[in-house]
Amino acid sequence: MSAGSSMAAALGGLGLLHGRFRLAAAAAATSSALSPRAPVRGGAATFPSAGRNYGSEAKEEEELRVQYLDEEHKGIVVLGLNRSHAKNALNKNLLKMMSKAVDALKSDKKVRTVIFRSEVPGIFCAGADLKERAKMHSSEVGSFVSKARATINEMANLPVPTIAAIDGIALGGGLELALACDIRVAASSAKMGLVETKLAIIPGAGEGGNKTRIEKAPEAKLNIRGSARGGTQRLPRAIGVSLAKELIFSARIVDGEEAKSIGLISHVVEQNEAGDAAYRRALALAREFLPQGPVAMRVAKLAIDQGMEVDLVTGLAIEEACYAQTIPTKDRIEGLLAFKEKRSPRYKGE
């Protein structure tokens, strides 16, 4: 790439970045759409449970539970899948609830970290709800898949750290949900895989939602901005191209130990009697994030995510722009004062 081209790319990246900051600022000025907040099922105990419901079928409004934790866990939000009768398979209602919850979280400045988990023993998410899919007319499939893809991308674009706690099976769209999170923690007994090729489709939040577009305009250049979209894009970025191809081509399912060895997850833990070992590890990890400066955490995530999609020169320009966002903050001054006074900083996200 020539110097002129690199500079143009850098300027283009900065323009996109500043646009995103303006949008983020406007969103932050709005009040949270989840107010009043959902009650915390599990209270303020040293280790908050998820208030699991092991009934045969959850009510529709309970298929996704939103918990705002308190006391030493304040700032951590837990999103719990709770479709026990369907192995947490993704259907229209669940996607709608996930989208609504994520939309509220992204503009809530009090949220520091989001943990995505299951409240159903032995299952994280079995992928798309194939029973519902089978009843759909072919004309409905495209819009459903587009909604699934958009919801997963909304999760990936949350401005705070996200952790997937995989305590059971995560297949197809279920693993794609986990891949959309910044960090993945799994029990050694968990099973993970992108198995779509067994159904003659590919990973991508379901069946090919862009099929018509590609057929009509194969010569068109894609202009996709933001995070990588689906399983065929996120998995290679997580574990490398060759391994990702091997797993997708074979539809192989791996356990937690193998997932850790290939870099699919960051931490693997032995499952406990309660069946929530990965959640416990995710919660401990989230607590490590809480003391840090909220603004710094948000722009650090943005710098990493945006930088991974461009060349190094543009990435460094994005990093510079992100760093500049922290300079005028009250938190930066508080951090310096706390260091000077040898005390813990009291950050407010300002």
Side-chain angles (χ1 to χ4, degrees):
M1 180 181 286
S2 66
S5 298
S6 296
M7 181 59 71
L11 291 174
L14 283 171
L16 170 62
L17 184 68
H18 289 315
R20 289 188 60 152
F21 273 122
R22 286 194 295 270
L23 289 173
T30 62
S31 59
S32 171
L34 277 182
S35 183
R37 293 178 173 180
V40 179
R41 299 176 178 85
T46 301
F47 177 76
S49 70
R52 291 183 172 187
N53 177 0
Y54 298 157
S56 60
E57 184 169 347
K59 296 179 181 178
E60 282 194 352
E61 64 270 17
E62 295 179 341
E63 289 186 345
L64 180 73
R65 292 181 176 174
V66 181
Q67 295 178 272
Y68 285 78
L69 305 188
D70 285 329
E71 295 190 356
E72 69 267 36
H73 300 102
K74 188 174 183 180
I76 300 173
V77 178
V78 180
L79 300 182
L81 295 173
N82 189 42
R83 294 194 73 213
S84 58
H85 64 290
K87 297 182 179 180
N88 287 340
L90 302 173
N91 67 345
K92 291 180 180 179
N93 181 65
L94 184 55
L95 287 172
K96 180 181 178 181
M97 295 184 70
M98 287 170 56
S99 180
K100 182 178 179 181
V102 169
D103 188 57
L105 291 173
K106 68 185 180 184
S107 59
D108 189 341
K109 294 174 67 177
K110 294 181 180 180
V111 176
R112 302 291 183 87
T113 300
V114 176
I115 297 176
F116 203 93
R117 67 163 302 182
S118 167
E119 297 188 9
V120 180
I123 297 290
F124 179 75
C125 176
D129 190 332
L130 297 182
K131 290 183 179 179
E132 182 184 72
R133 181 78 63 86
K135 297 177 183 178
M136 290 183 187
H137 188 272
S138 57
S139 61
E140 298 179 89
V141 174
S143 60
F144 173 81
V145 173
S146 294
K147 178 62 176 176
R149 184 179 292 112
T151 301
I152 291 175
N153 287 332
E154 288 168 6
M155 282 180 50
N157 290 326
L158 274 170
V160 297
T162 55
I163 306 172
I166 308 171
D167 274 307
I169 296 171
L171 302 178
L175 182 54
E176 290 190 58
L177 283 177
L179 284 167
C181 294
D182 298 314
I183 300 165
R184 288 165 293 284
V185 179
S188 56
S189 59
K191 304 295 182 183
M192 291 157 271
L194 295 178
V195 296
E196 284 86 347
T197 52
K198 283 188 175 182
L199 298 174
I201 57 177
I202 68 170
E207 297 178 26
N210 289 328
K211 182 177 179 181
T212 302
R213 175 184 175 185
I214 293 173
E215 288 178 347
K216 289 184 177 180
E219 75 288 349
K221 293 182 179 179
L222 295 178
N223 183 26
I224 300 174
R225 294 180 173 179
S227 300
R229 291 307 193 245
T232 62
Q233 302 305 303
R234 289 194 174 98
L235 187 62
R237 284 165 167 80
I239 67 173
V241 174
S242 183
L243 270 175
K245 286 180 176 178
E246 182 179 329
L247 292 186
I248 291 173
F249 294 167
S250 65
R252 185 184 304 154
I253 297 173
V254 300
D255 62 17
E257 295 290 350
E258 185 174 357
K260 175 64 169 65
S261 71
I262 62 177
L264 179 55
I265 61 175
S266 300
H267 303 274
V268 59
V269 291
E270 289 296 321
Q271 189 56 278
N272 56 28
E273 291 185 6
D276 62 355
Y279 171 60
R280 288 174 179 265
R281 184 66 184 92
L283 189 65
L285 193 59
R287 288 187 62 179
E288 290 185 44
F289 301 161
L290 290 180
Q292 321 313 330
V295 175
M297 295 288 281
R298 289 171 180 253
V299 296
K301 176 172 177 173
L302 180 59
I304 295 169
D305 287 349
Q306 292 292 308
M308 288 300 294
E309 302 297 325
V310 298
D311 61 89
L312 180 59
V313 172
T314 308
L316 290 171
I318 291 172
E319 179 184 76
E320 182 180 2
C322 285
Y323 188 93
Q325 299 298 314
T326 67
I327 294 175
T329 64
K330 295 179 181 178
D331 280 353
R332 187 182 72 87
I333 303 301
E334 166 62 14
L336 292 173
L337 285 174
F339 178 80
K340 180 181 178 180
E341 298 170 4
K342 298 181 180 181
R343 60 173 174 80
S344 298
R346 296 181 289 271
Y347 295 129
K348 297 181 179 179
E350 299 174 354

